[in-house]
Amino acid sequence: MRKIKVSIAGLGVVGGGLLSLLVEDRRFTRQGVDFGIAGVSARTRHRDRAVSIDAYPWFDDPVALATHDDTDIFVELIGGSDGPAKAAVTAALEAGKPVVTADKALIAEHGPMLAALAEKKGVALKFEAAVAGGTPVIHGIRDGVAACTVSSVNGILNGTCNYILSTMAETGASFESVLLDAQREGFAEADPSFDIDGVDAAHKLAILATLAFDAEIAMADISIRGIRHIQLADVEAAKHQNLAIKLLAEAVLQDGALGLRVTPALIPERNAFAETRGSQNVVTVDAEPLGRLAFSGPGAGAGATASAVAADLCDLARGGAASPVYATAAEQLRRLPSLSTADMENSYFIRLSLKDEPGAMATVADALAAERISIESLRQPPSHDSTAPVVIVTHPCRAAAAEAVANTIAAQPFVAEPPSVLPIIIP
Ligand SMILES: NC(=O)c1ccc[n+]([C@@H]2O[C@H](COP(=O)([O-])OP(=O)(O)OC[C@H]3O[C@@H](n4cnc5c(N)ncnc54)[C@H](OP(=O)(O)O)[C@@H]3O)[C@@H](O)[C@H]2O)c1
């Protein structure tokens, strides 16, 4: 039996889940591995935790734990792109210790730099849990698609947004009230901005795109729009057209240029992306000569995420290759030219709320014509007040043209509230 001593920094949702898993010793003995705990670290030593840590050596400083002689593998479950997480992971790699982390912010912001360090030191850096929680999408893309040319990656990657949007559609409650309930029930953070402003999904998209396209991605390369501005009227108008609003993460390679965006999008209701609920994640990869690959599974939660961390530990225990960290060596990662998201073409859903004034619709039609956008359908839902709601679905046009129309209409005196403009995407 191989004895491997694991050190765990961060004992929250995922760290606690991992400790339970390792202590329960599920299949590890059958796989010939005996995982022991070399030490643990968190912010506060004495507090109620799901699993007792009394039996394990305690470290106030995660860096000291990461570099300790007893540490065979260092597991970072603190979170955050910088601070103690980055310091401890860097120190572990410098000291020649393999690292497993679930930290998407760290890998999205510093993955290539850390991968270069890991490869220089000849040790592994693994992060299966960083994207789609328990669903093995990192392994699937890094290894399963290694021989293919990827043209696009799409994903629903943020459980909080998924929960809010599907609950709005199902209950008819407003964004604000669903968010408050989600916070009370622990589905959303006290500060939900990373989730609802699309940053968390963008971190995950950056990691997937690096793997899929052998490309170094800067967060600034990603066009990020969250769901904060989505109103119940948008969700209901979409539903009326058999569409569901989802926060979609999309990476597309077109003529050698890479387009990266996170955006609320309208998706046909019967599509697997539209049917994804709560913390469930879905990722598809289109690759030649493979075709379309789809992953679906739990994207968060103690058990699911810990199981992905533990799967990385098992891989290391079985002697899984340390290098390269991505499908390509860190120094071979490319900087691809950007495909401007303004040039991406989709049909658009434009929801207007107009004051009942003569000539308003003619001005709207002129604004669309000026951008050479033709209308696929126009609907006037019943009004509940003095304003006239109008929902327009356009034929495919550039994102920049749809935005220009929205700006023109928003500046008109007959507009009761700023227009909602959302792409209709069939991922
Ligand atoms: N939760 C999920 O479902 C999920 C899914 C996928 C990926 N992840 C990722 O997994 C990582 C951990 O997430 P989580 O949900 O487990 O977070 P969490 O519940 O907030 O736990 C964070 C842990 O880090 C510790 N910590 C905070 N600051 C520290 C410091 N300066 N030094 C040492 N320890 C410190 C905390 O200590 P105390 O316990 O003493 O406060 C806590 O134990 C994050 O990178 C997250 O993005 C989470």
Side-chain angles (χ1 to χ4, degrees), residues 11-14 42-44 47 49 77 79 84 102-104 300-301 305:
L11 302 169
V13 175
V14 186
R43 196 167 23 204
T44 319
R47 63 181 293 180
R49 299 191 185 276
L77 300 170
D103 191 342
K104 53 247 175 172
T305 311

Side-chain angles (χ1 to χ4, degrees), residues 6 41 51 64 68 72 83 108 151 181 190 192 195 207 238 346 363 384 394 398 406 416:
V6 176
S41 177
V51 186
H68 196 273
D72 292 328
S151 55
D181 281 351
D195 292 313
I207 296 171
N346 293 103
T363 310
H384 305 300
T394 72
R398 290 171 58 244

